[in-house]
Amino acid sequence: MALGTLTAQTVKTGVLVTGDGSNAVAASIQAAVSGAKTILVVNEKGFKLSPFDKDQHSGIAAEFLKRAGKASGRKDSTAYFSMSDAVSNEVLRTWMDSLKNLTVIRGVEWQRMKRSGSGWSMELKDGRTIRAEIFVNADRTGRAASALALPVSPQLWQSFGYQDNSSRTSVASGYFYNGSPAHVISLYTLLNPQQENLIALDQEQQSFAAGQAGGAIAAYAAIFKTKVSVASLKTVQGELINYKLNLVPFSDISAIDSNWKAIQFTGLMGILKAELSGGQAWFRPEQLVMRAEIEPVLREYFYKAQLWFDDHKEAKMTLASVLSLVCTVGHKALKNTEDEVRKRWNASYRFTTPYEPSRPATRREFAVLVNDYLKPFNVNIDRNGRVLR
């Protein structure tokens, strides 16, 4: 939406974002495409994006790089890495101005920021006032935090691993440009009950992934007219997956992989764990599925899985045993399920391997079948990632 459409002295919006970095860009775009009326206030006329890793991008970052490539007349996203700031800002301007729920106010400073009931009020130096239900503080200068007497934001990013179940609550993942290991952000580090309807993003660590997560949470609260602190984990995660953001930082599964969604869901729930090596997380899609890895988690998630594993002791999971498992747990007829799988094998699942029931299943095949027939993502968990019975 163009700036010229803002004519009233007081403007109401669902989500208000301030900042000029990657966090602000992604938060405002995601909030808007998720359906919330959004205003982004940028003191400067242009954006200062953080460097991208050439190999790790998904979600809004991937879409931006794709648009940058098209703007340069190239099919691949690497065009951005030789693009000037002026051109990349023009790509963003064209994209953001095309979003019907997003208004970008550029080059206008705000002079006062305060609480307004359960929401927020921002007074601009040109005389306008913006009243918002949700405020996303993506300001890198610290000025907004100072004006609102906000505490220092917690460390949002944490190393990805399996020391506990918190990775199941991830709403963003990635590798920082300086080469640090795989990291994730838990939904619950972005919620602050002491400062309701506020999402504070890290001033220092700017990334499209963190901003996208913040934008999805803000949109949820604005659309459902609820508090940010009670944002639904599953709804937010599902929204981010729909917009192709990696919630698990698998280095060997890109967002254009035909099985990306199933692998993200099963990886997020910890059914198939990443191999952590060299600071990166590897899915290893063609490796075989071993009973020892999947049994503890499936027993935790599904009561009937306990009965199945009590009766089946083979170390490797064949395709036949995977179908037997999903039919037992999912209350499905084995013959009908096998007929469905045969039809979907190449056309829907796009597997290149042959369907041979006696053959050991690969991790890719297992992820797709379990996600399709058991839908483990639908299992409810608490804020620590433990299954809720």
Side-chain angles (χ1 to χ4, degrees), residues 44-264:
E44 304 297 329
K45 292 185 178 181
F47 296 102
K48 301 178 179 64
L49 301 183
S50 298
F52 285 91
D53 187 304
K54 290 188 178 182
D55 299 317
Q56 294 293 329
H57 46 265
S58 64
I60 289 173
E63 177 62 22
F64 168 68
L65 292 176
K66 178 180 176 182
R67 288 170 179 265
K70 287 183 178 180
S72 301
R74 292 166 58 176
K75 293 183 178 180
D76 63 276
S77 62
T78 59
Y80 166 77
F81 297 99
S82 58
M83 182 178 288
S84 68
D85 288 344
V87 175
S88 66
N89 266 276
E90 186 56 34
V91 171
L92 283 175
R93 177 186 292 272
T94 301
W95 181 14
M96 298 172 88
D97 286 353
S98 73
L99 300 177
K100 66 177 183 179
N101 288 321
L102 178 60
T103 297
V104 182
I105 300 177
R106 300 176 176 89
V108 179
E109 289 189 37
W110 58 269
Q111 59 184 2
R112 191 179 181 194
M113 184 79 189
K114 63 179 182 178
R115 275 283 184 187
S116 177
S118 62
W120 304 87
S121 175
M122 174 183 280
E123 297 176 8
L124 304 180
K125 285 191 174 181
D126 63 6
R128 287 174 293 178
T129 297
I130 301 171
R131 297 193 186 280
E133 299 168 35
I134 315 298
F135 176 48
V136 179
N137 181 17
D139 172 41
R140 295 188 298 173
T141 67
R143 182 171 169 237
S146 177
L148 296 169
L150 299 178
V152 176
S153 298
Q155 175 62 45
L156 300 182
W157 292 95
Q158 60 188 56
S159 295
F160 174 72
Y162 299 104
Q163 61 273 19
D164 55 32
N165 292 321
S166 63
S167 61
R168 296 176 183 175
T169 67
S170 168
V171 289
S173 74
Y175 298 84
F176 302 145
Y177 191 76
N178 62 8
S180 64
H183 282 71
V184 293
I185 296 177
S186 167
L187 169 75
Y188 300 105
T189 61
L190 284 168
L191 309 185
N192 184 354
Q194 284 71 46
Q195 285 288 344
E196 195 54 78
N197 295 337
L198 165 73
I199 295 172
L201 298 174
D202 195 323
Q203 290 179 219
E204 301 296 328
Q205 185 60 59
Q206 293 280 316
S207 76
F208 270 55
Q212 188 170 350
I217 299 166
Y220 174 89
I223 291 169
F224 290 101
K225 304 298 181 183
T226 190
K227 297 177 180 179
V228 164
S229 62
V230 296
S232 165
L233 172 66
K234 295 293 184 175
T235 303
V236 171
Q237 288 179 325
E239 181 76 350
L240 291 167
I241 288 284
N242 284 339
Y243 283 96
K244 305 291 283 185
L245 180 67
N246 286 334
L247 303 189
V248 187
F250 291 132
S251 292
D252 51 351
I253 303 294
S254 74
I256 63 172
D257 189 298
S258 59
N259 304 130
W260 174 86
K261 192 170 187 178
I263 291 171
Q264 279 289 306

Side-chain angles (χ1 to χ4, degrees), residues 286-358:
E286 308 314 320
Q287 285 188 359
L288 303 183
V289 178
M290 307 302 294
R291 168 201 172 103
E293 176 182 8
I294 63 171
E295 180 178 359
V297 182
L298 289 179
R299 280 182 179 269
E300 179 187 5
Y301 285 166
F302 305 108
Y303 172 73
K304 284 208 166 185
Q306 302 179 35
L307 304 177
W308 190 90
F309 283 110
D310 286 343
D311 294 335
H312 297 79
K313 303 298 183 183
E314 56 269 29
K316 293 180 181 179
M317 297 290 291
T318 64
L319 290 173
S321 61
V322 173
L323 290 186
S324 171
L325 171 64
V326 299
C327 288
T328 298
V329 176
H331 308 282
K332 302 180 186 300
L334 182 58
K335 180 63 169 63
N336 291 343
T337 302
E338 184 174 20
D339 290 343
E340 287 178 354
V341 169
R342 285 182 183 275
K343 291 177 182 178
R344 296 172 180 176
W345 195 258
N346 300 119
S348 299
Y349 299 151
R350 299 183 185 179
F351 292 147
T352 57
T353 48
Y355 177 73
E356 298 171 355
S358 61

